């Protein structure tokens, strides 16, 4: 039976690309593995898969008892594929906080403080002396540029930059030009509904018994989100909060050129965000200059405040 390699729910580019490339590496090493996904491929990732002529991983929405699974780009049960508790977890490769998964025995677990899971996967290719084909290099490079916001994110490390530049050199691509092409292709503001915008790149977190949701979209200019679009997004946020029973939900609208994020949230989050980030806020929004990373600049602050 194949071991499934899978990223998190509502998969972003790194989640898909890390699963595909790690599965490829393991296959080259003679292991019986298969990359899958547990959610829809977003516009940015679809552009990348088309560019490098790679088929999207098979959609598997729920694991069955007896399935074996290897997680990439997450390690929290709340973000994982349905049925994880019934399956056998065999390994994790990730770059996020440790989220409390429990296993019945020891597993392979690799977690590094880099800006992208695909940076770690690239290192694993090198460590195992496995050639990185141009197709796999394209996926790895794209994921790194996406997750590090073309090296602008505070999560980005020198290791991410070095590896991305090596991959770009192999492919004959300019990092900045290709990165902007990638983000432009992934712009979803005028393509998705308001609810889809909130949940397009979206994760749940549990703090002190309460659950919150944090989504993120990355755009070239905040002008793409006008007042009408904001209103639609805020209505969608209220709807999801009621459906899920969240304490609150916020959407990061990240301007990758100006390097800041507009936070949109339901009114119940107003005081929490004001106090946690020590800023003056409006009823349902606040702009945070220099904030690009959900992982490093939003979740740790909320975790400290709520927990």
């Amino acid at each position: 039976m194949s071991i499934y390699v899978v990223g998190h729910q509502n998969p972003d580019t790194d989640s898909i690309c890390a699963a595909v490339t790690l599965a490829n590496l393991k296959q080259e090493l003679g292991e019986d593995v298969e990359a899958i996904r547990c959610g829809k491929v977003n516009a940015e990732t679809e552009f990348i898969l088309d560019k490098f002529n790679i088929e999207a991983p098979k959609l598997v929405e729920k694991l069955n008892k007896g399935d074996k699974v290897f997680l990439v780009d997450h390690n929290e049960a709340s973000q994982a594929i349905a049925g994880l508790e019934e399956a056998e977890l065999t390994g994790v490769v990730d770059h996020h906080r440790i989220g409390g998964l429990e296993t019945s025995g020891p597993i392979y677990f690799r977690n590094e403080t880099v800006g992208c899971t695909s940076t770690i996967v690239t290192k694993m290719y090198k460590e195992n002396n496995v050639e990185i084909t141009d197709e796999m290099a394209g996926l790895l490079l794209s994921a790194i540029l996406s997750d590090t916001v073309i090296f602008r994110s505070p999560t980005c490390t020198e290791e991410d930059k070095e590896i991305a530049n090596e991959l770009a050199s192999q492919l004959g691509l300019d990092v900045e030009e290709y990165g902007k092409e990638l983000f432009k292709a992934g712009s979803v503001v005028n393509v998705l509904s308001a609810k889809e915008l909130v949940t397009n790149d979206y994760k749940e977190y549990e703090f002190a018994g309460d659950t919150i949701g944090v989504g993120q979209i990355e755009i070239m200019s905040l002008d793409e989100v006008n007042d009408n679009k904001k209103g639609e997004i805020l209505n969608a946020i209220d709807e999801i909060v009621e459906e899920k029973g969240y304490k609150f939900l916020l959407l990061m609208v990240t301007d990758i050129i100006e390097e800041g994020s507009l936070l949109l949230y339901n009114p119940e989050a107003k005081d929490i965000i004001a106090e946690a980030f020590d800023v003056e806020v409006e009823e349902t929004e606040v702009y945070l200059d220099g904030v690009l990373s959900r992982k490093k600049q939003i979740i740790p602050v909320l975790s400290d405040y709520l927990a």
Side-chain angles (χ1 to χ4, degrees):
M1 178 184 295
S2 293
I3 297 174
Y4 289 140
V5 183
V6 64
H8 51 74
Q9 298 174 25
N10 304 298
D12 59 4
T13 291
D14 188 32
S15 188
I16 295 290
C17 291
V20 173
T21 53
L22 183 59
N24 173 261
L25 169 62
K26 287 181 171 294
Q27 289 162 0
E28 290 295 316
L29 294 172
E31 298 183 39
D32 185 9
V33 301
E34 178 183 4
I36 62 169
R37 58 187 169 93
C38 57
K40 182 181 178 181
V41 174
N42 66 30
E44 179 185 272
T45 311
E46 187 173 351
F47 164 78
I48 293 161
L49 293 173
D50 287 345
K51 182 177 181 68
F52 295 102
N53 197 29
I54 299 293
E55 188 175 343
K58 179 177 70 177
L59 175 64
V60 177
E61 296 181 329
K62 185 176 182 180
L63 298 174
N64 298 310
K65 189 172 183 179
D67 285 342
K68 295 183 178 181
V69 63
F70 195 112
L71 304 182
V72 295
D73 198 33
H74 71 300
N75 69 91
E76 299 194 41
S78 63
Q79 300 171 9
I81 184 172
L84 178 65
E85 67 281 357
E86 298 292 327
E88 179 185 348
L89 179 60
T90 65
V92 176
V93 174
D94 189 22
H95 68 128
H96 296 92
R97 70 173 194 160
I98 308 302
L101 282 177
E102 293 186 7
T103 62
S104 58
I107 64 169
Y108 180 90
F109 193 103
R110 183 163 181 170
N111 186 287
E112 297 187 21
T113 53
V114 292
C116 182
T117 307
S118 292
T119 296
I120 306 171
V121 176
T122 307
K123 292 169 64 176
M124 293 172 70
Y125 271 93
K126 294 182 177 184
E127 291 162 3
N128 287 280
N129 295 313
V130 173
E131 178 187 359
I132 303 175
T133 66
D134 286 352
E135 292 80 8
M136 294 300 107
L139 300 190
L140 293 164
L141 170 64
S142 300
I144 296 170
L145 295 181
S146 177
D147 250 24
T148 67
V149 196
I150 322 174
F151 305 156
R152 290 168 169 81
S153 172
T155 63
C156 185
T157 67
E158 289 303 315
E159 199 165 25
D160 295 299
K161 294 178 183 178
E162 180 181 342
I163 286 174
N165 282 318
E166 287 179 6
L167 294 167
S169 178
Q170 174 179 333
L171 295 166
L173 293 173
D174 178 273
V175 163
E176 188 72 16
E177 288 182 6
Y178 175 58
K180 289 181 178 179
E181 180 186 5
L182 188 154
F183 277 100
K184 184 177 180 180
S187 180
V188 293
V189 173
N190 296 316
V191 177
L192 302 181
S193 69
K195 192 170 185 179
E196 289 171 331
L197 285 175
V198 176
T199 59
N200 184 59
D201 179 5
Y202 181 78
K203 294 182 179 180
E204 288 185 354
Y205 300 88
E206 293 183 7
F207 300 118
D210 290 316
T211 303
I212 69 169
V214 182
Q216 184 173 25
I217 58 173
E218 292 162 329
I219 57 181
M220 305 294 280
S221 170
L222 288 180
D223 291 340
E224 294 182 46
V225 182
N226 57 30
D227 288 341
N228 286 338
K229 183 63 71 174
K230 281 185 190 177
E232 294 172 2
I233 290 171
L234 291 169
N235 287 336
I237 286 174
D238 288 338
E239 181 182 339
I240 296 169
V241 168
E242 184 173 353
E243 285 177 359
K244 299 285 190 177
Y246 290 154
K247 186 177 183 70
F248 66 88
L249 186 158
L250 65 87
L251 174 68
M252 297 174 65
V253 183
T254 300
D255 186 325
I256 66 171
I257 302 301
E258 295 298 325
E259 301 187 27
S261 291
L262 175 70
L263 302 190
L264 300 176
Y265 46 83
N266 54 306
E268 290 77 7
K270 176 185 175 182
D271 291 341
I272 293 171
I273 291 172
E275 294 174 13
F277 293 93
D278 192 23
V279 291
E280 292 186 9
V281 302
E282 297 184 31
E283 186 70 12
T284 55
E285 69 177 76
V286 64
Y287 180 78
L288 300 181
D289 188 38
V291 171
L292 299 170
S293 171
R294 171 173 49 194
K295 181 183 78 171
K296 194 167 185 177
Q297 294 172 294
I298 296 294
I299 298 307
V301 175
L302 293 177
S303 177
D304 288 345
Y305 181 84
L306 294 171

